[in-house]
Amino acid sequence: MKIAVCPGSFDPVTYGHLDIISRGAAVFDKVIVAVLHNRNKQPLFSIDERVDLLKQVTKQLSNVEVDSFNGLLIDYMKEKQAHTIIRGLRAVSDFEYEMQAASINKKLGPEVETFFMMTSNHYSYLSSSIVKEVAKYHADVTDLVPEEVADALRVKFS
Ligand code: ADP
């Protein structure tokens, strides 16, 4: 079984993430969406809230699981017996960081491959940070995130 992991912060999940997750799910037997405990970022949503939102918005994708992890991605990959990392690329600005991450992951776990998917054009501008910025000022985010996420943002910023 070809298992892929789609790691990220997902603070919160956007239509851009969902695009990558659903396209990944069409290629691999199973996709594990893994929310990373990142101590360098001050999140808006807790890990549990992010996992819960991801579960709600991926429930129609039967081969997608949602989980969270601490520590090194490569250790998590081994634990899950997954050999592919899925990452999305939006713009050239993503490239430098992604190249570094893919290189270090290759060094730490040579059996693991990183697969990059180009974002669909209409999501190339979309990030969790932009969504939070827009939602903070109570502007409409319904084109950017699923309804469940828009509701959760409304509650956070109310
Ligand atoms: P991280 O902090 O690890 O970058 P993110 O939650 O920002 O976590 O992103 C997780 C993954 O989703 C990354 O591979 C990122 O490139 C991808 N991604 C985020 N937004 C989009 C988008 N609009 N289109 C395509 N991929 C995206």
Side-chain angles (χ1 to χ4, degrees):
M1 176 144 98
K2 294 237 179 275
I3 305 173
V5 170
C6 184
S9 312
F10 304 102
D11 185 37
V13 55
T14 69
Y15 279 135
H17 293 128
L18 267 185
D19 178 51
I20 295 295
I21 294 167
S22 54
R23 284 162 57 202
V27 174
F28 295 95
D29 298 318
K30 179 159 112 179
V31 173
I32 304 173
V33 182
V35 181
L36 166 69
H37 290 249
N38 188 342
R39 286 181 207 87
N40 299 326
K41 284 189 183 175
Q42 189 59 258
L44 176 66
F45 291 95
S46 70
I47 294 283
D48 287 348
E49 288 172 323
R50 283 180 263 163
V51 165
D52 191 50
L53 285 171
L54 274 161
K55 281 186 177 162
Q56 290 181 50
V57 303
T58 58
K59 63 175 184 281
Q60 73 283 8
L61 299 168
S62 58
N63 60 338
V64 171
E65 265 177 30
V66 183
D67 191 18
S68 63
F69 73 103
N70 248 317
L72 277 179
L73 175 59
I74 281 296
D75 294 336
Y76 180 76
M77 300 291 295
K78 285 177 188 154
E79 183 193 318
K80 293 288 168 186
Q81 298 189 330
H83 295 110
T84 310
I85 300 168
I86 300 178
R87 296 285 293 174
L89 283 177
R90 281 164 293 193
V92 178
S93 50
D94 280 340
F95 187 83
E96 199 165 337
Y97 171 80
E98 294 297 342
M99 201 176 93
Q100 277 184 350
S103 304
I104 191 70
N105 284 329
K106 197 75 202 161
K107 203 169 172 59
L108 297 174
E111 70 286 2
V112 171
E113 289 293 346
T114 304
F115 269 57
F116 293 104
M117 267 189 285
M118 295 301 294
T119 183
S120 299
N121 274 349
H122 43 290
Y123 297 133
S124 59
Y125 66 94
L126 186 51
S127 68
S128 299
S129 316
I130 290 289
V131 166
K132 284 183 278 192
E133 198 59 26
V134 171
K136 190 159 96 186
Y137 297 104
H138 309 290
D140 185 20
V141 290
T142 49
D143 283 349
L144 314 179
V145 295
E147 206 179 307
E148 297 88 334
V149 179
D151 288 345
L153 282 162
R154 230 170 272 127
V155 171
K156 281 278 173 201
F157 290 115
S158 64

